[in-house]
Amino acid sequence: MRAATKITLFDDSGEKFFGEGPCRLLRAVEETGSLRAAALSMGMAYSKALKLLTNAEAALGFPLTMRTTGGKDGGGSVLTPQGKEWLKKYEAYRDACIQANGRLYLEFFPEQR
């Protein structure tokens, strides 16, 4: 038996706007320099990836990525400074919650050590 922690953030209307999916997508954008390539690496349609980002950006009130359209030199995406900071905070919060859950789990279920 084990406990799992899943961090999902909701806006004021109760709509989910951020969790592990968007987090992984932003990390993939950072690695690939492209929203399309990031979506592809996750087996996700580009349209879904774009929707995830635009929903998160609308809820947060700031852009997470800066996207340039293709052309002869191709397009790309990079995280904005606010996007980088948001991602850093989300991951730190998520990791702290996971650690706290692990401690609480052992406190309530000590026989699981």
Side-chain angles (χ1 to χ4, degrees), residues 13-44:
S13 301
E15 297 294 320
K16 175 181 172 180
F17 77 89
F18 206 86
E20 279 306 301
C23 176
R24 287 181 39 232
L25 181 63
L26 288 176
R27 282 292 172 211
V29 166
E30 203 169 41
E31 290 171 17
T32 64
S34 162
L35 180 58
R36 187 172 303 280
L40 187 62
S41 76
M42 295 175 63
M44 179 186 299

Side-chain angles (χ1 to χ4, degrees), residues 5-6 10 21 25 27 37 68 73-74 89 98 106 113:
T5 302
K6 182 178 177 182
F10 297 83
L25 181 63
R27 282 292 172 211
T68 55
D73 296 322
K89 285 181 181 180
I98 290 169
L106 291 175
R113 287 186 192 261

Side-chain angles (χ1 to χ4, degrees), residues 19-93:
E20 279 306 301
C23 176
R24 287 181 39 232
L25 181 63
L26 288 176
R27 282 292 172 211
V29 166
E30 203 169 41
E31 290 171 17
T32 64
S34 162
L35 180 58
R36 187 172 303 280
L40 187 62
S41 76
M42 295 175 63
M44 179 186 299
Y46 173 78
S47 58
K48 181 175 181 177
L50 185 58
K51 184 178 178 179
L52 282 174
L53 276 185
T54 55
N55 285 346
E57 290 172 342
L60 292 167
F62 57 84
L64 294 167
T65 63
M66 187 176 357
R67 299 178 288 278
T68 55
T69 56
K72 89 173 181 175
D73 296 322
S77 295
V78 295
L79 271 58
T80 62
Q82 286 178 302
K84 288 180 182 182
E85 184 63 25
W86 167 258
L87 191 55
K88 182 178 164 183
K89 285 181 181 180
Y90 170 81
E91 289 175 330
Y93 174 68

Side-chain angles (χ1 to χ4, degrees), residues 2-15:
R2 69 181 186 87
T5 302
K6 182 178 177 182
I7 302 301
T8 304
L9 301 177
F10 297 83
D11 64 19
D12 293 337
S13 301
E15 297 294 320

